[in-house]
Amino acid sequence: MPELPEVETIVRGLRGAIVGERIQAVDIRLAKIAQAPPGVDFARALIGETITGVTRRAKYAVLELASGRRLVTSLRMTGRLVVGKPGEVAYPGTHIVFTLKPLKTLSFADIRTFGRMRLVEPGDPWDANLGPEPLEKAFTPEAFVSMLSERTTSIKVLLLDQRRIAGIGNIYACEALWEAKIRPSTPAKDLSRAAMIRLHGALIEVLSRAVEMRGSSIDDYVDADGLRGGFQNVLAVYGRLGQPCTRCGTPIQRSVLAGRGTWWCRMCQPRSRKKIRK
Ligand SMILES: [Zn+2]
């Protein structure tokens, strides 16, 4: 499932290819993928719109339109945004095709059909429930510490909660916790302040490095040009059950937290000593 680094890579790729283009036609092949506010016809509203920007918020790729509307795309498990040419052999599961000019298309493909493209009106607070972006200035160590204090939820489950921090999924939660030497099952409130600050730094470090390496190609993620990422080659724990920890050589463990596979090193990520309470 694409997380912050993968969606950021897709968005950067799209930016060069489709900003400034005008939508000439919209072909919807699977109706449930294309969502619009009540009374608005998705295709009709988009024809004639010019794409003025491509941005990312959390795990969403957002097409900014000249009218102030936005096209908010969630890729979920297997969604892809692909720039191509009309009549080209389409990716399997192509559900929406935007014709941008006689020789250019933008397609949304999704084999598992969980992804969506949602047309959002200007001023709609569509992202109001999403937490801060971990690579932006508002995500300070202090903000992170106050987010974690008094929370009984395990730290890994909390990292995945998009209302707290936006864009982190299973891969980068596991990787950042290993980097910060924190056991994923630790209740957030039991982390020392030093551990919280270490994790804050680890999240920024791991996410930045993954963006630089154009994301992780696990399953079938590819960027807007159909290219695979590079971070899957340097993963420390995710998906590495039984393989030696790159820091200490201990075989990597796998457990399940809140229904999600969780990889970690029992030597490098020890049980945290509970904070002494009055
Ligand atoms: Zn280790």
Side-chain angles (χ1 to χ4, degrees), residues 77-98:
M77 306 293 288
T78 53
R80 290 178 176 191
L81 284 165
V82 188
V83 177
K85 296 189 175 96
E88 247 178 8
V89 177
Y91 272 108
T94 294
H95 305 307
I96 306 181
V97 181
F98 301 89

PDB file of all heavy atoms in Angstrom, residues 77-98:
ATOM      1  N   MET A  77      -4.738  -0.052  -1.893  1.00  0.00           N
ATOM      2  CA  MET A  77      -3.776  -1.142  -2.022  1.00  0.00           C
ATOM      3  C   MET A  77      -3.024  -1.139  -3.349  1.00  0.00           C
ATOM      4  O   MET A  77      -1.809  -1.255  -3.394  1.00  0.00           O
ATOM      5  CB  MET A  77      -4.504  -2.491  -1.893  1.00  0.00           C
ATOM      6  CG  MET A  77      -5.345  -2.647  -0.649  1.00  0.00           C
ATOM      7  SD  MET A  77      -4.371  -2.714   0.859  1.00  0.00           S
ATOM      8  CE  MET A  77      -3.626  -4.330   0.704  1.00  0.00           C
ATOM      9  N   THR A  78      -3.770  -1.038  -4.436  1.00  0.00           N
ATOM     10  CA  THR A  78      -3.161  -1.295  -5.746  1.00  0.00           C
ATOM     11  C   THR A  78      -3.446  -0.200  -6.776  1.00  0.00           C
ATOM     12  O   THR A  78      -3.306  -0.428  -7.978  1.00  0.00           O
ATOM     13  CB  THR A  78      -3.666  -2.652  -6.303  1.00  0.00           C
ATOM     14  OG1 THR A  78      -5.105  -2.640  -6.267  1.00  0.00           O
ATOM     15  CG2 THR A  78      -3.165  -3.828  -5.492  1.00  0.00           C
ATOM     16  N   GLY A  79      -3.853   0.986  -6.307  1.00  0.00           N
ATOM     17  CA  GLY A  79      -4.176   2.060  -7.256  1.00  0.00           C
ATOM     18  C   GLY A  79      -2.943   2.630  -7.936  1.00  0.00           C
ATOM     19  O   GLY A  79      -1.864   2.654  -7.362  1.00  0.00           O
ATOM     20  N   ARG A  80      -3.126   3.059  -9.181  1.00  0.00           N
ATOM     21  CA  ARG A  80      -2.027   3.662  -9.940  1.00  0.00           C
ATOM     22  C   ARG A  80      -2.545   4.848 -10.726  1.00  0.00           C
ATOM     23  O   ARG A  80      -3.646   4.791 -11.273  1.00  0.00           O
ATOM     24  CB  ARG A  80      -1.487   2.682 -10.990  1.00  0.00           C
ATOM     25  CG  ARG A  80      -0.743   1.529 -10.430  1.00  0.00           C
ATOM     26  CD  ARG A  80      -0.306   0.616 -11.561  1.00  0.00           C
ATOM     27  NE  ARG A  80       0.510  -0.469 -11.031  1.00  0.00           N
ATOM     28  CZ  ARG A  80       1.208  -1.306 -11.786  1.00  0.00           C
ATOM     29  NH1 ARG A  80       1.191  -1.207 -13.103  1.00  0.00           N
ATOM     30  NH2 ARG A  80       1.926  -2.252 -11.233  1.00  0.00           N
ATOM     31  N   LEU A  81      -1.758   5.896 -10.802  1.00  0.00           N
ATOM     32  CA  LEU A  81      -2.043   7.013 -11.706  1.00  0.00           C
ATOM     33  C   LEU A  81      -0.968   6.963 -12.778  1.00  0.00           C
ATOM     34  O   LEU A  81       0.224   7.016 -12.461  1.00  0.00           O
ATOM     35  CB  LEU A  81      -1.978   8.337 -10.947  1.00  0.00           C
ATOM     36  CG  LEU A  81      -3.187   8.644 -10.057  1.00  0.00           C
ATOM     37  CD1 LEU A  81      -2.868   9.777  -9.089  1.00  0.00           C
ATOM     38  CD2 LEU A  81      -4.413   8.996 -10.898  1.00  0.00           C
ATOM     39  N   VAL A  82      -1.387   6.830 -14.010  1.00  0.00           N
ATOM     40  CA  VAL A  82      -0.422   6.585 -15.071  1.00  0.00           C
ATOM     41  C   VAL A  82      -0.646   7.559 -16.224  1.00  0.00           C
ATOM     42  O   VAL A  82      -1.774   7.729 -16.691  1.00  0.00           O
ATOM     43  CB  VAL A  82      -0.576   5.137 -15.617  1.00  0.00           C
ATOM     44  CG1 VAL A  82       0.548   4.817 -16.585  1.00  0.00           C
ATOM     45  CG2 VAL A  82      -0.585   4.128 -14.471  1.00  0.00           C
ATOM     46  N   VAL A  83       0.431   8.203 -16.659  1.00  0.00           N
ATOM     47  CA  VAL A  83       0.352   9.090 -17.808  1.00  0.00           C
ATOM     48  C   VAL A  83       0.666   8.262 -19.053  1.00  0.00           C
ATOM     49  O   VAL A  83       1.623   7.494 -19.074  1.00  0.00           O
ATOM     50  CB  VAL A  83       1.349  10.258 -17.671  1.00  0.00           C
ATOM     51  CG1 VAL A  83       1.317  11.153 -18.910  1.00  0.00           C
ATOM     52  CG2 VAL A  83       1.032  11.069 -16.412  1.00  0.00           C
ATOM     53  N   GLY A  84      -0.173   8.399 -20.069  1.00  0.00           N
ATOM     54  CA  GLY A  84       0.053   7.604 -21.277  1.00  0.00           C
ATOM     55  C   GLY A  84      -0.505   8.294 -22.506  1.00  0.00           C
ATOM     56  O   GLY A  84      -0.723   9.509 -22.509  1.00  0.00           O
ATOM     57  N   LYS A  85      -0.714   7.484 -23.522  1.00  0.00           N
ATOM     58  CA  LYS A  85      -1.233   8.001 -24.794  1.00  0.00           C
ATOM     59  C   LYS A  85      -2.554   7.308 -25.090  1.00  0.00           C
ATOM     60  O   LYS A  85      -2.721   6.129 -24.749  1.00  0.00           O
ATOM     61  CB  LYS A  85      -0.248   7.696 -25.928  1.00  0.00           C
ATOM     62  CG  LYS A  85       1.076   8.388 -25.784  1.00  0.00           C
ATOM     63  CD  LYS A  85       1.893   8.201 -27.067  1.00  0.00           C
ATOM     64  CE  LYS A  85       3.189   8.983 -27.001  1.00  0.00           C
ATOM     65  NZ  LYS A  85       4.343   8.188 -26.568  1.00  0.00           N
ATOM     66  N   PRO A  86      -3.496   8.010 -25.735  1.00  0.00           N
ATOM     67  CA  PRO A  86      -4.781   7.372 -26.050  1.00  0.00           C
ATOM     68  C   PRO A  86      -4.551   6.108 -26.882  1.00  0.00           C
ATOM     69  O   PRO A  86      -3.665   6.069 -27.733  1.00  0.00           O
ATOM     70  CB  PRO A  86      -5.517   8.430 -26.885  1.00  0.00           C
ATOM     71  CG  PRO A  86      -4.822   9.712 -26.601  1.00  0.00           C
ATOM     72  CD  PRO A  86      -3.405   9.368 -26.264  1.00  0.00           C
ATOM     73  N   GLY A  87      -5.324   5.087 -26.603  1.00  0.00           N
ATOM     74  CA  GLY A  87      -5.246   3.875 -27.399  1.00  0.00           C
ATOM     75  C   GLY A  87      -4.120   2.941 -26.985  1.00  0.00           C
ATOM     76  O   GLY A  87      -4.024   1.825 -27.473  1.00  0.00           O
ATOM     77  N   GLU A  88      -3.234   3.404 -26.092  1.00  0.00           N
ATOM     78  CA  GLU A  88      -2.168   2.530 -25.598  1.00  0.00           C
ATOM     79  C   GLU A  88      -2.795   1.354 -24.874  1.00  0.00           C
ATOM     80  O   GLU A  88      -3.864   1.477 -24.291  1.00  0.00           O
ATOM     81  CB  GLU A  88      -1.327   3.295 -24.574  1.00  0.00           C
ATOM     82  CG  GLU A  88       0.075   3.581 -25.014  1.00  0.00           C
ATOM     83  CD  GLU A  88       0.814   4.397 -23.950  1.00  0.00           C
ATOM     84  OE1 GLU A  88       0.310   4.601 -22.837  1.00  0.00           O
ATOM     85  OE2 GLU A  88       1.905   4.830 -24.279  1.00  0.00           O
ATOM     86  N   VAL A  89      -2.068   0.250 -24.814  1.00  0.00           N
ATOM     87  CA  VAL A  89      -2.573  -0.886 -24.050  1.00  0.00           C
ATOM     88  C   VAL A  89      -2.637  -0.445 -22.589  1.00  0.00           C
ATOM     89  O   VAL A  89      -1.642  -0.036 -22.001  1.00  0.00           O
ATOM     90  CB  VAL A  89      -1.648  -2.118 -24.198  1.00  0.00           C
ATOM     91  CG1 VAL A  89      -2.146  -3.274 -23.347  1.00  0.00           C
ATOM     92  CG2 VAL A  89      -1.572  -2.518 -25.663  1.00  0.00           C
ATOM     93  N   ALA A  90      -3.836  -0.463 -22.015  1.00  0.00           N
ATOM     94  CA  ALA A  90      -4.019   0.066 -20.668  1.00  0.00           C
ATOM     95  C   ALA A  90      -3.550  -0.944 -19.638  1.00  0.00           C
ATOM     96  O   ALA A  90      -3.531  -2.141 -19.890  1.00  0.00           O
ATOM     97  CB  ALA A  90      -5.490   0.386 -20.449  1.00  0.00           C
ATOM     98  N   TYR A  91      -3.165  -0.423 -18.460  1.00  0.00           N
ATOM     99  CA  TYR A  91      -2.901  -1.300 -17.319  1.00  0.00           C
ATOM    100  C   TYR A  91      -4.164  -2.090 -17.038  1.00  0.00           C
ATOM    101  O   TYR A  91      -5.271  -1.595 -17.210  1.00  0.00           O
ATOM    102  CB  TYR A  91      -2.563  -0.473 -16.083  1.00  0.00           C
ATOM    103  CG  TYR A  91      -1.108  -0.144 -15.950  1.00  0.00           C
ATOM    104  CD1 TYR A  91      -0.664   1.155 -16.170  1.00  0.00           C
ATOM    105  CD2 TYR A  91      -0.189  -1.113 -15.584  1.00  0.00           C
ATOM    106  CE1 TYR A  91       0.675   1.477 -16.036  1.00  0.00           C
ATOM    107  CE2 TYR A  91       1.154  -0.797 -15.455  1.00  0.00           C
ATOM    108  CZ  TYR A  91       1.578   0.491 -15.686  1.00  0.00           C
ATOM    109  OH  TYR A  91       2.893   0.801 -15.560  1.00  0.00           O
ATOM    110  N   PRO A  92      -4.020  -3.313 -16.518  1.00  0.00           N
ATOM    111  CA  PRO A  92      -5.220  -4.047 -16.117  1.00  0.00           C
ATOM    112  C   PRO A  92      -5.949  -3.242 -15.041  1.00  0.00           C
ATOM    113  O   PRO A  92      -5.307  -2.617 -14.204  1.00  0.00           O
ATOM    114  CB  PRO A  92      -4.669  -5.346 -15.516  1.00  0.00           C
ATOM    115  CG  PRO A  92      -3.234  -5.415 -15.888  1.00  0.00           C
ATOM    116  CD  PRO A  92      -2.785  -4.034 -16.223  1.00  0.00           C
ATOM    117  N   GLY A  93      -7.257  -3.256 -15.112  1.00  0.00           N
ATOM    118  CA  GLY A  93      -8.032  -2.551 -14.092  1.00  0.00           C
ATOM    119  C   GLY A  93      -8.025  -1.049 -14.255  1.00  0.00           C
ATOM    120  O   GLY A  93      -8.028  -0.318 -13.291  1.00  0.00           O
ATOM    121  N   THR A  94      -7.994  -0.553 -15.492  1.00  0.00           N
ATOM    122  CA  THR A  94      -8.102   0.891 -15.721  1.00  0.00           C
ATOM    123  C   THR A  94      -9.568   1.296 -15.611  1.00  0.00           C
ATOM    124  O   THR A  94     -10.415   0.767 -16.327  1.00  0.00           O
ATOM    125  CB  THR A  94      -7.514   1.269 -17.096  1.00  0.00           C
ATOM    126  OG1 THR A  94      -6.109   1.020 -17.061  1.00  0.00           O
ATOM    127  CG2 THR A  94      -7.754   2.735 -17.431  1.00  0.00           C
ATOM    128  N   HIS A  95      -9.869   2.207 -14.681  1.00  0.00           N
ATOM    129  CA  HIS A  95     -11.261   2.544 -14.377  1.00  0.00           C
ATOM    130  C   HIS A  95     -11.672   3.942 -14.823  1.00  0.00           C
ATOM    131  O   HIS A  95     -12.838   4.206 -15.028  1.00  0.00           O
ATOM    132  CB  HIS A  95     -11.520   2.416 -12.880  1.00  0.00           C
ATOM    133  CG  HIS A  95     -11.167   1.073 -12.334  1.00  0.00           C
ATOM    134  ND1 HIS A  95     -11.666  -0.088 -12.882  1.00  0.00           N
ATOM    135  CD2 HIS A  95     -10.348   0.689 -11.323  1.00  0.00           C
ATOM    136  CE1 HIS A  95     -11.174  -1.123 -12.202  1.00  0.00           C
ATOM    137  NE2 HIS A  95     -10.367  -0.678 -11.266  1.00  0.00           N
ATOM    138  N   ILE A  96     -10.707   4.872 -14.897  1.00  0.00           N
ATOM    139  CA  ILE A  96     -11.016   6.223 -15.365  1.00  0.00           C
ATOM    140  C   ILE A  96      -9.875   6.658 -16.285  1.00  0.00           C
ATOM    141  O   ILE A  96      -8.701   6.468 -15.941  1.00  0.00           O
ATOM    142  CB  ILE A  96     -11.129   7.238 -14.199  1.00  0.00           C
ATOM    143  CG1 ILE A  96     -12.144   6.763 -13.145  1.00  0.00           C
ATOM    144  CG2 ILE A  96     -11.529   8.621 -14.731  1.00  0.00           C
ATOM    145  CD1 ILE A  96     -12.326   7.715 -11.977  1.00  0.00           C
ATOM    146  N   VAL A  97     -10.232   7.227 -17.437  1.00  0.00           N
ATOM    147  CA  VAL A  97      -9.211   7.759 -18.337  1.00  0.00           C
ATOM    148  C   VAL A  97      -9.552   9.214 -18.637  1.00  0.00           C
ATOM    149  O   VAL A  97     -10.652   9.516 -19.115  1.00  0.00           O
ATOM    150  CB  VAL A  97      -9.130   6.952 -19.655  1.00  0.00           C
ATOM    151  CG1 VAL A  97      -8.037   7.539 -20.561  1.00  0.00           C
ATOM    152  CG2 VAL A  97      -8.861   5.478 -19.372  1.00  0.00           C
ATOM    153  N   PHE A  98      -8.642  10.118 -18.322  1.00  0.00           N
ATOM    154  CA  PHE A  98      -8.795  11.528 -18.658  1.00  0.00           C
ATOM    155  C   PHE A  98      -7.984  11.774 -19.930  1.00  0.00           C
ATOM    156  O   PHE A  98      -6.783  11.476 -19.962  1.00  0.00           O
ATOM    157  CB  PHE A  98      -8.214  12.428 -17.561  1.00  0.00           C
ATOM    158  CG  PHE A  98      -8.860  12.218 -16.210  1.00  0.00           C
ATOM    159  CD1 PHE A  98      -8.359  11.272 -15.324  1.00  0.00           C
ATOM    160  CD2 PHE A  98      -9.965  12.974 -15.830  1.00  0.00           C
ATOM    161  CE1 PHE A  98      -8.946  11.081 -14.079  1.00  0.00           C
ATOM    162  CE2 PHE A  98     -10.556  12.780 -14.584  1.00  0.00           C
ATOM    163  CZ  PHE A  98     -10.050  11.833 -13.714  1.00  0.00           C
TER     164      PHE A  98
END
